Short mmCIF file of all heavy atoms in Angstrom, two decimals:
data_model
loop_
_atom_site.label_atom_id
_atom_site.label_comp_id
_atom_site.label_asym_id
_atom_site.label_seq_id
_atom_site.Cartn_x
_atom_site.Cartn_y
_atom_site.Cartn_z
N MET A 2 -85.72 -26.43 104.42
CA MET A 2 -85.93 -27.26 105.60
C MET A 2 -84.84 -28.33 105.72
O MET A 2 -84.42 -28.65 106.82
CB MET A 2 -87.32 -27.89 105.50
CG MET A 2 -87.70 -28.68 106.71
SD MET A 2 -87.89 -27.57 108.11
CE MET A 2 -89.02 -28.44 109.08
N GLU A 3 -84.41 -28.84 104.60
CA GLU A 3 -83.37 -29.88 104.61
C GLU A 3 -82.05 -29.34 105.15
O GLU A 3 -81.33 -30.03 105.86
CB GLU A 3 -83.17 -30.45 103.20
CG GLU A 3 -82.23 -31.63 103.14
CD GLU A 3 -82.72 -32.84 103.92
OE1 GLU A 3 -83.93 -33.06 104.02
OE2 GLU A 3 -81.85 -33.55 104.46
N LYS A 4 -81.73 -28.08 104.85
CA LYS A 4 -80.49 -27.47 105.36
C LYS A 4 -80.54 -27.36 106.89
O LYS A 4 -79.54 -27.60 107.56
CB LYS A 4 -80.27 -26.09 104.75
CG LYS A 4 -79.83 -26.12 103.31
CD LYS A 4 -79.54 -24.73 102.81
CE LYS A 4 -79.06 -24.77 101.38
NZ LYS A 4 -78.70 -23.43 100.89
N LYS A 5 -81.69 -27.00 107.42
CA LYS A 5 -81.83 -26.90 108.88
C LYS A 5 -81.68 -28.27 109.53
O LYS A 5 -81.04 -28.40 110.57
CB LYS A 5 -83.18 -26.29 109.25
CG LYS A 5 -83.28 -24.82 108.96
CD LYS A 5 -84.61 -24.28 109.41
CE LYS A 5 -84.72 -22.80 109.10
NZ LYS A 5 -86.02 -22.26 109.53
N ARG A 6 -82.25 -29.27 108.91
CA ARG A 6 -82.16 -30.63 109.45
C ARG A 6 -80.71 -31.10 109.44
O ARG A 6 -80.25 -31.71 110.41
CB ARG A 6 -83.03 -31.57 108.63
CG ARG A 6 -83.03 -32.99 109.16
CD ARG A 6 -84.02 -33.87 108.44
NE ARG A 6 -85.36 -33.41 108.79
CZ ARG A 6 -86.43 -33.53 108.01
NH1 ARG A 6 -86.31 -34.09 106.82
NH2 ARG A 6 -87.60 -33.10 108.40
N GLU A 7 -79.99 -30.83 108.38
CA GLU A 7 -78.59 -31.23 108.28
C GLU A 7 -77.72 -30.47 109.29
O GLU A 7 -76.83 -31.05 109.92
CB GLU A 7 -78.07 -30.99 106.86
CG GLU A 7 -76.71 -31.58 106.60
CD GLU A 7 -76.67 -33.09 106.69
OE1 GLU A 7 -77.67 -33.77 106.41
OE2 GLU A 7 -75.60 -33.61 107.08
N ALA A 8 -78.01 -29.18 109.48
CA ALA A 8 -77.27 -28.39 110.45
C ALA A 8 -77.53 -28.90 111.87
O ALA A 8 -76.59 -29.00 112.68
CB ALA A 8 -77.66 -26.92 110.34
N LEU A 9 -78.76 -29.24 112.17
CA LEU A 9 -79.09 -29.77 113.49
C LEU A 9 -78.41 -31.12 113.71
O LEU A 9 -77.90 -31.40 114.79
CB LEU A 9 -80.61 -29.91 113.63
CG LEU A 9 -81.12 -30.44 114.96
CD1 LEU A 9 -80.66 -29.55 116.11
CD2 LEU A 9 -82.63 -30.55 114.94
N LYS A 10 -78.37 -31.94 112.68
CA LYS A 10 -77.71 -33.23 112.78
C LYS A 10 -76.22 -33.06 113.09
O LYS A 10 -75.67 -33.75 113.94
CB LYS A 10 -77.91 -34.01 111.48
CG LYS A 10 -77.33 -35.39 111.49
CD LYS A 10 -77.60 -36.10 110.17
CE LYS A 10 -76.96 -37.47 110.12
NZ LYS A 10 -77.20 -38.13 108.83
N LYS A 11 -75.56 -32.13 112.40
CA LYS A 11 -74.14 -31.87 112.64
C LYS A 11 -73.92 -31.34 114.06
O LYS A 11 -72.94 -31.70 114.72
CB LYS A 11 -73.59 -30.88 111.62
CG LYS A 11 -73.41 -31.49 110.25
CD LYS A 11 -72.82 -30.49 109.29
CE LYS A 11 -72.63 -31.10 107.92
NZ LYS A 11 -72.00 -30.17 106.98
N LEU A 12 -74.79 -30.47 114.51
CA LEU A 12 -74.68 -29.93 115.87
C LEU A 12 -74.81 -31.04 116.90
O LEU A 12 -74.02 -31.12 117.85
CB LEU A 12 -75.74 -28.86 116.10
CG LEU A 12 -75.80 -28.27 117.50
CD1 LEU A 12 -74.51 -27.55 117.84
CD2 LEU A 12 -76.99 -27.34 117.63
N LEU A 13 -75.78 -31.91 116.75
CA LEU A 13 -75.97 -33.01 117.68
C LEU A 13 -74.77 -33.96 117.68
O LEU A 13 -74.36 -34.45 118.73
CB LEU A 13 -77.25 -33.78 117.36
CG LEU A 13 -78.55 -33.05 117.69
CD1 LEU A 13 -79.74 -33.85 117.19
CD2 LEU A 13 -78.66 -32.77 119.16
N GLN A 14 -74.18 -34.21 116.53
CA GLN A 14 -73.00 -35.06 116.44
C GLN A 14 -71.83 -34.43 117.19
O GLN A 14 -71.09 -35.12 117.90
CB GLN A 14 -72.63 -35.32 114.98
CG GLN A 14 -73.57 -36.27 114.28
CD GLN A 14 -73.28 -36.39 112.79
OE1 GLN A 14 -72.56 -35.56 112.23
NE2 GLN A 14 -73.86 -37.40 112.16
N ALA A 15 -71.67 -33.12 117.06
CA ALA A 15 -70.59 -32.43 117.75
C ALA A 15 -70.78 -32.47 119.26
O ALA A 15 -69.83 -32.68 120.02
CB ALA A 15 -70.50 -30.98 117.27
N VAL A 16 -72.01 -32.30 119.71
CA VAL A 16 -72.31 -32.34 121.15
C VAL A 16 -72.06 -33.75 121.69
O VAL A 16 -71.46 -33.91 122.75
CB VAL A 16 -73.76 -31.89 121.42
CG1 VAL A 16 -74.17 -32.19 122.84
CG2 VAL A 16 -73.92 -30.41 121.11
N GLU A 17 -72.50 -34.76 120.98
CA GLU A 17 -72.28 -36.14 121.42
C GLU A 17 -70.79 -36.46 121.50
O GLU A 17 -70.34 -37.11 122.44
CB GLU A 17 -72.95 -37.13 120.47
CG GLU A 17 -74.45 -37.20 120.63
CD GLU A 17 -75.10 -38.13 119.62
OE1 GLU A 17 -74.43 -38.54 118.64
OE2 GLU A 17 -76.28 -38.44 119.80
N LYS A 18 -70.03 -36.00 120.54
CA LYS A 18 -68.59 -36.25 120.54
C LYS A 18 -67.94 -35.59 121.76
O LYS A 18 -67.08 -36.19 122.40
CB LYS A 18 -67.97 -35.70 119.25
CG LYS A 18 -66.49 -35.95 119.12
CD LYS A 18 -65.96 -35.42 117.82
CE LYS A 18 -64.47 -35.64 117.71
NZ LYS A 18 -63.93 -35.08 116.47
N GLU A 19 -68.36 -34.39 122.11
CA GLU A 19 -67.79 -33.68 123.26
C GLU A 19 -68.18 -34.35 124.57
O GLU A 19 -67.38 -34.45 125.49
CB GLU A 19 -68.24 -32.22 123.25
CG GLU A 19 -67.59 -31.37 124.29
CD GLU A 19 -66.09 -31.21 124.09
OE1 GLU A 19 -65.60 -31.32 122.96
OE2 GLU A 19 -65.41 -30.97 125.10
N ILE A 20 -69.41 -34.84 124.65
CA ILE A 20 -69.88 -35.50 125.87
C ILE A 20 -69.12 -36.80 126.10
O ILE A 20 -68.78 -37.15 127.23
CB ILE A 20 -71.40 -35.76 125.78
CG1 ILE A 20 -72.15 -34.45 125.92
CG2 ILE A 20 -71.85 -36.74 126.85
CD1 ILE A 20 -73.64 -34.56 125.68
N LEU A 21 -68.83 -37.53 125.04
CA LEU A 21 -68.16 -38.82 125.16
C LEU A 21 -66.65 -38.72 125.28
O LEU A 21 -65.97 -39.71 125.53
CB LEU A 21 -68.51 -39.70 123.95
CG LEU A 21 -69.99 -40.08 123.82
CD1 LEU A 21 -70.22 -40.85 122.54
CD2 LEU A 21 -70.46 -40.87 125.02
N ARG A 22 -66.11 -37.52 125.16
CA ARG A 22 -64.66 -37.31 125.25
C ARG A 22 -64.18 -37.58 126.67
O ARG A 22 -64.78 -37.17 127.65
CB ARG A 22 -64.34 -35.87 124.86
CG ARG A 22 -62.87 -35.55 124.79
CD ARG A 22 -62.68 -34.13 124.32
NE ARG A 22 -63.24 -33.15 125.22
CZ ARG A 22 -62.57 -32.55 126.19
NH1 ARG A 22 -61.31 -32.82 126.39
NH2 ARG A 22 -63.15 -31.66 126.97
N LYS A 23 -63.08 -38.31 126.80
CA LYS A 23 -62.52 -38.61 128.11
C LYS A 23 -61.83 -37.36 128.67
O LYS A 23 -61.06 -36.72 127.97
CB LYS A 23 -61.50 -39.74 127.99
CG LYS A 23 -60.94 -40.18 129.30
CD LYS A 23 -59.99 -41.33 129.15
CE LYS A 23 -59.41 -41.69 130.50
NZ LYS A 23 -58.44 -42.78 130.40
N PRO A 24 -62.10 -37.03 129.94
CA PRO A 24 -61.45 -35.86 130.54
C PRO A 24 -59.94 -36.07 130.65
O PRO A 24 -59.46 -37.19 130.80
CB PRO A 24 -62.08 -35.76 131.92
CG PRO A 24 -62.97 -36.91 132.09
CD PRO A 24 -63.01 -37.68 130.83
N ASP A 25 -59.19 -34.98 130.60
CA ASP A 25 -57.73 -35.10 130.72
C ASP A 25 -57.32 -35.33 132.17
O ASP A 25 -58.13 -35.26 133.09
CB ASP A 25 -57.02 -33.88 130.13
CG ASP A 25 -57.34 -32.58 130.86
OD1 ASP A 25 -58.11 -32.60 131.82
OD2 ASP A 25 -56.78 -31.55 130.46
N ARG A 26 -56.06 -35.63 132.36
CA ARG A 26 -55.54 -36.02 133.68
C ARG A 26 -55.71 -34.90 134.71
O ARG A 26 -56.03 -35.15 135.88
CB ARG A 26 -54.06 -36.40 133.53
CG ARG A 26 -53.42 -36.89 134.77
CD ARG A 26 -54.20 -38.07 135.32
NE ARG A 26 -53.62 -38.55 136.52
CZ ARG A 26 -53.28 -39.81 136.72
NH1 ARG A 26 -53.49 -40.70 135.78
NH2 ARG A 26 -52.75 -40.17 137.84
N LYS A 27 -55.50 -33.66 134.30
CA LYS A 27 -55.62 -32.52 135.21
C LYS A 27 -57.06 -32.42 135.76
O LYS A 27 -57.26 -32.19 136.95
CB LYS A 27 -55.24 -31.25 134.46
CG LYS A 27 -55.16 -30.02 135.31
CD LYS A 27 -54.67 -28.85 134.48
CE LYS A 27 -54.58 -27.58 135.29
NZ LYS A 27 -54.09 -26.46 134.49
N THR A 28 -58.03 -32.61 134.90
CA THR A 28 -59.44 -32.57 135.32
C THR A 28 -59.74 -33.70 136.29
O THR A 28 -60.41 -33.51 137.31
CB THR A 28 -60.36 -32.66 134.10
OG1 THR A 28 -60.06 -31.57 133.21
CG2 THR A 28 -61.82 -32.61 134.50
N LEU A 29 -59.24 -34.90 135.99
CA LEU A 29 -59.47 -36.05 136.87
C LEU A 29 -58.83 -35.83 138.25
O LEU A 29 -59.44 -36.17 139.27
CB LEU A 29 -58.93 -37.32 136.22
CG LEU A 29 -59.66 -37.76 134.94
CD1 LEU A 29 -58.93 -38.93 134.31
CD2 LEU A 29 -61.11 -38.09 135.22
N ASP A 30 -57.64 -35.26 138.28
CA ASP A 30 -56.98 -34.97 139.56
C ASP A 30 -57.79 -33.96 140.37
O ASP A 30 -57.94 -34.11 141.59
CB ASP A 30 -55.56 -34.45 139.33
CG ASP A 30 -54.58 -35.56 138.98
OD1 ASP A 30 -54.87 -36.74 139.28
OD2 ASP A 30 -53.53 -35.24 138.41
N ARG A 31 -58.31 -32.96 139.72
CA ARG A 31 -59.11 -31.95 140.43
C ARG A 31 -60.41 -32.53 140.96
O ARG A 31 -60.84 -32.20 142.07
CB ARG A 31 -59.38 -30.76 139.52
CG ARG A 31 -58.15 -29.92 139.29
CD ARG A 31 -58.42 -28.73 138.44
NE ARG A 31 -57.22 -27.93 138.30
CZ ARG A 31 -57.13 -26.88 137.54
NH1 ARG A 31 -58.18 -26.47 136.83
NH2 ARG A 31 -56.01 -26.20 137.45
N LEU A 32 -61.04 -33.39 140.19
CA LEU A 32 -62.26 -34.04 140.67
C LEU A 32 -61.96 -34.94 141.86
O LEU A 32 -62.76 -35.03 142.80
CB LEU A 32 -62.91 -34.85 139.54
CG LEU A 32 -63.56 -34.03 138.43
CD1 LEU A 32 -63.98 -34.94 137.29
CD2 LEU A 32 -64.75 -33.25 138.97
N SER A 33 -60.82 -35.59 141.84
CA SER A 33 -60.40 -36.44 142.96
C SER A 33 -60.20 -35.62 144.22
O SER A 33 -60.56 -36.06 145.32
CB SER A 33 -59.11 -37.18 142.62
OG SER A 33 -59.32 -38.02 141.51
N LEU A 34 -59.64 -34.42 144.08
CA LEU A 34 -59.47 -33.54 145.24
C LEU A 34 -60.82 -33.19 145.86
O LEU A 34 -60.95 -33.13 147.09
CB LEU A 34 -58.74 -32.27 144.83
CG LEU A 34 -57.24 -32.40 144.61
CD1 LEU A 34 -56.68 -31.11 144.02
CD2 LEU A 34 -56.53 -32.76 145.89
N LEU A 35 -61.83 -32.97 145.04
CA LEU A 35 -63.17 -32.67 145.57
C LEU A 35 -63.73 -33.85 146.35
O LEU A 35 -64.51 -33.66 147.29
CB LEU A 35 -64.12 -32.32 144.42
CG LEU A 35 -63.92 -30.96 143.78
CD1 LEU A 35 -64.82 -30.82 142.55
CD2 LEU A 35 -64.22 -29.85 144.77
N ALA A 36 -63.33 -35.06 145.97
CA ALA A 36 -63.81 -36.26 146.66
C ALA A 36 -62.95 -36.59 147.88
O ALA A 36 -63.24 -37.55 148.59
CB ALA A 36 -63.81 -37.44 145.69
N GLY A 37 -61.89 -35.81 148.13
CA GLY A 37 -61.08 -36.01 149.31
C GLY A 37 -59.83 -36.85 149.10
O GLY A 37 -59.25 -37.35 150.05
N PHE A 38 -59.40 -37.00 147.86
CA PHE A 38 -58.21 -37.79 147.55
C PHE A 38 -57.13 -36.87 147.01
O PHE A 38 -57.41 -35.79 146.53
CB PHE A 38 -58.54 -38.88 146.54
CG PHE A 38 -59.49 -39.91 147.08
CD1 PHE A 38 -60.86 -39.73 146.95
CD2 PHE A 38 -59.03 -41.02 147.74
CE1 PHE A 38 -61.74 -40.67 147.46
CE2 PHE A 38 -59.90 -41.96 148.26
CZ PHE A 38 -61.27 -41.78 148.11
N GLN A 39 -55.88 -37.31 147.08
CA GLN A 39 -54.76 -36.49 146.64
C GLN A 39 -54.57 -36.50 145.12
O GLN A 39 -54.01 -35.57 144.57
CB GLN A 39 -53.47 -36.95 147.32
CG GLN A 39 -53.48 -36.71 148.81
CD GLN A 39 -53.63 -35.23 149.12
OE1 GLN A 39 -52.94 -34.40 148.54
NE2 GLN A 39 -54.51 -34.89 150.03
N SER A 40 -55.00 -37.58 144.47
CA SER A 40 -54.81 -37.68 143.02
C SER A 40 -55.82 -38.68 142.46
O SER A 40 -56.50 -39.39 143.20
CB SER A 40 -53.40 -38.15 142.69
OG SER A 40 -53.22 -39.49 143.11
N TRP A 41 -55.89 -38.72 141.15
CA TRP A 41 -56.76 -39.68 140.47
C TRP A 41 -56.32 -41.12 140.79
O TRP A 41 -57.16 -41.99 140.99
CB TRP A 41 -56.74 -39.42 138.97
CG TRP A 41 -57.59 -40.36 138.19
CD1 TRP A 41 -57.18 -41.30 137.32
CD2 TRP A 41 -59.03 -40.43 138.19
NE1 TRP A 41 -58.25 -41.98 136.80
CE2 TRP A 41 -59.40 -41.46 137.31
CE3 TRP A 41 -60.03 -39.74 138.87
CZ2 TRP A 41 -60.73 -41.80 137.08
CZ3 TRP A 41 -61.35 -40.08 138.64
CH2 TRP A 41 -61.69 -41.10 137.76
N ASP A 42 -55.01 -41.32 140.86
CA ASP A 42 -54.50 -42.66 141.16
C ASP A 42 -54.93 -43.12 142.55
O ASP A 42 -55.33 -44.28 142.73
CB ASP A 42 -52.98 -42.71 141.04
CG ASP A 42 -52.50 -42.57 139.61
OD1 ASP A 42 -53.25 -43.00 138.69
OD2 ASP A 42 -51.40 -42.06 139.40
N SER A 43 -54.84 -42.24 143.53
CA SER A 43 -55.23 -42.62 144.89
C SER A 43 -56.74 -42.88 144.96
O SER A 43 -57.19 -43.78 145.68
CB SER A 43 -54.81 -41.58 145.92
OG SER A 43 -55.47 -40.36 145.69
N PHE A 44 -57.51 -42.13 144.20
CA PHE A 44 -58.96 -42.36 144.13
C PHE A 44 -59.25 -43.73 143.51
O PHE A 44 -60.05 -44.50 144.03
CB PHE A 44 -59.63 -41.25 143.33
CG PHE A 44 -61.09 -41.49 143.09
CD1 PHE A 44 -62.01 -41.40 144.12
CD2 PHE A 44 -61.55 -41.81 141.82
CE1 PHE A 44 -63.36 -41.63 143.89
CE2 PHE A 44 -62.89 -42.03 141.59
CZ PHE A 44 -63.80 -41.94 142.63
N GLN A 45 -58.56 -44.04 142.41
CA GLN A 45 -58.76 -45.33 141.74
C GLN A 45 -58.32 -46.49 142.64
O GLN A 45 -59.00 -47.53 142.67
CB GLN A 45 -57.98 -45.37 140.42
CG GLN A 45 -58.57 -44.48 139.35
CD GLN A 45 -59.94 -44.95 138.92
OE1 GLN A 45 -60.11 -46.10 138.51
NE2 GLN A 45 -60.91 -44.07 139.00
N ASP A 46 -57.22 -46.32 143.37
CA ASP A 46 -56.76 -47.37 144.29
C ASP A 46 -57.81 -47.63 145.37
O ASP A 46 -58.07 -48.78 145.72
CB ASP A 46 -55.44 -46.98 144.94
CG ASP A 46 -54.28 -47.04 143.98
OD1 ASP A 46 -54.43 -47.68 142.90
OD2 ASP A 46 -53.22 -46.44 144.28
N ALA A 47 -58.38 -46.58 145.91
CA ALA A 47 -59.39 -46.75 146.94
C ALA A 47 -60.67 -47.35 146.37
O ALA A 47 -61.33 -48.17 147.02
CB ALA A 47 -59.70 -45.40 147.60
N LEU A 48 -61.00 -46.98 145.16
CA LEU A 48 -62.23 -47.47 144.54
C LEU A 48 -62.13 -48.93 144.14
O LEU A 48 -63.06 -49.71 144.36
CB LEU A 48 -62.55 -46.61 143.30
CG LEU A 48 -63.87 -46.84 142.61
CD1 LEU A 48 -65.02 -46.51 143.55
CD2 LEU A 48 -63.96 -46.00 141.36
N HIS A 49 -60.99 -49.33 143.61
CA HIS A 49 -60.84 -50.68 143.08
C HIS A 49 -59.91 -51.57 143.90
O HIS A 49 -59.74 -52.73 143.59
CB HIS A 49 -60.30 -50.63 141.65
CG HIS A 49 -61.21 -49.88 140.72
ND1 HIS A 49 -62.45 -50.34 140.35
CD2 HIS A 49 -61.05 -48.69 140.10
CE1 HIS A 49 -63.01 -49.47 139.54
NE2 HIS A 49 -62.19 -48.46 139.37
N GLY A 50 -59.31 -51.02 144.92
CA GLY A 50 -58.34 -51.77 145.71
C GLY A 50 -58.97 -52.52 146.87
O GLY A 50 -60.20 -52.58 147.01
N ASP A 51 -58.11 -53.06 147.70
CA ASP A 51 -58.56 -53.85 148.85
C ASP A 51 -58.59 -53.04 150.14
O ASP A 51 -59.02 -53.54 151.17
CB ASP A 51 -57.62 -55.05 149.05
CG ASP A 51 -57.69 -56.01 147.88
OD1 ASP A 51 -58.75 -56.10 147.24
OD2 ASP A 51 -56.67 -56.68 147.62
N THR A 52 -58.14 -51.80 150.10
CA THR A 52 -58.08 -51.00 151.32
C THR A 52 -59.45 -50.46 151.68
O THR A 52 -60.33 -50.28 150.85
CB THR A 52 -57.11 -49.82 151.15
OG1 THR A 52 -57.56 -49.02 150.06
CG2 THR A 52 -55.71 -50.29 150.89
N SER A 53 -59.61 -50.18 152.94
CA SER A 53 -60.85 -49.64 153.45
C SER A 53 -60.92 -48.14 153.15
O SER A 53 -59.90 -47.45 153.14
CB SER A 53 -60.93 -49.86 154.95
OG SER A 53 -62.03 -49.16 155.49
N ALA A 54 -62.10 -47.63 152.97
CA ALA A 54 -62.28 -46.19 152.73
C ALA A 54 -61.89 -45.38 153.98
O ALA A 54 -61.56 -44.21 153.86
CB ALA A 54 -63.71 -45.90 152.34
N ASP A 55 -61.91 -46.01 155.14
CA ASP A 55 -61.53 -45.32 156.38
C ASP A 55 -60.07 -44.88 156.37
O ASP A 55 -59.70 -43.96 157.09
CB ASP A 55 -61.77 -46.23 157.59
CG ASP A 55 -63.25 -46.51 157.79
OD1 ASP A 55 -64.07 -45.67 157.38
OD2 ASP A 55 -63.57 -47.57 158.35
N GLU A 56 -59.24 -45.50 155.55
CA GLU A 56 -57.82 -45.13 155.47
C GLU A 56 -57.63 -43.68 155.04
O GLU A 56 -56.64 -43.06 155.36
CB GLU A 56 -57.08 -46.06 154.50
CG GLU A 56 -57.03 -47.50 154.93
CD GLU A 56 -56.19 -47.70 156.18
OE1 GLU A 56 -55.15 -47.04 156.30
OE2 GLU A 56 -56.60 -48.50 157.04
N ASN A 57 -58.58 -43.14 154.29
CA ASN A 57 -58.47 -41.77 153.78
C ASN A 57 -58.79 -40.72 154.83
O ASN A 57 -58.53 -39.55 154.63
CB ASN A 57 -59.39 -41.57 152.58
CG ASN A 57 -58.95 -42.38 151.40
OD1 ASN A 57 -57.77 -42.43 151.10
ND2 ASN A 57 -59.89 -43.02 150.75
N TYR A 58 -59.35 -41.13 155.96
CA TYR A 58 -59.80 -40.18 156.96
C TYR A 58 -58.99 -40.22 158.25
O TYR A 58 -59.41 -39.74 159.27
CB TYR A 58 -61.29 -40.40 157.25
CG TYR A 58 -62.13 -40.17 156.02
CD1 TYR A 58 -62.65 -41.23 155.31
CD2 TYR A 58 -62.36 -38.88 155.56
CE1 TYR A 58 -63.41 -41.02 154.18
CE2 TYR A 58 -63.11 -38.66 154.42
CZ TYR A 58 -63.63 -39.73 153.74
OH TYR A 58 -64.38 -39.53 152.63
N LYS A 59 -57.82 -40.84 158.20
CA LYS A 59 -56.96 -40.90 159.40
C LYS A 59 -56.15 -39.65 159.52
O LYS A 59 -55.82 -38.98 158.62
CB LYS A 59 -56.04 -42.11 159.33
CG LYS A 59 -56.79 -43.39 159.58
CD LYS A 59 -55.83 -44.54 159.64
CE LYS A 59 -56.58 -45.81 159.93
NZ LYS A 59 -55.73 -46.96 159.98
#
């Protein structure tokens, strides 16, 4: 029983590590395209900048 518990603990640690991993730049750019932006940088500028969201729909 102890071996199963240890194996489950290792599995959960591996899953947590993968979930907390930051996505790479290519993934972020693709997600930005789904949201209607040209790149991750343009998405971040719109999210945190002073420009209106309407600028993306002209």
Side-chain angles (χ1 to χ4, degrees):
M2 185 66 153
E3 186 63 32
K4 287 184 178 183
K5 287 183 181 180
R6 182 173 292 151
E7 190 63 31
L9 181 58
K10 183 178 176 181
K11 287 182 180 183
L12 177 63
L13 288 174
Q14 287 173 345
V16 169
E17 285 177 347
K18 183 178 178 182
E19 187 65 26
I20 288 173
L21 296 175
R22 185 176 63 93
K23 184 178 178 182
D25 63 0
R26 183 56 181 233
K27 187 176 180 180
T28 302
L29 294 173
D30 283 339
R31 288 182 178 175
L32 289 172
S33 298
L34 284 172
L35 287 173
F38 295 89
Q39 293 299 313
S40 67
W41 180 248
D42 291 330
S43 64
F44 174 72
Q45 289 295 305
D46 288 344
L48 187 63
H49 300 292
D51 295 331
T52 59
S53 171
D55 294 333
E56 295 293 321
N57 293 317
Y58 298 104
K59 286 186 179 179

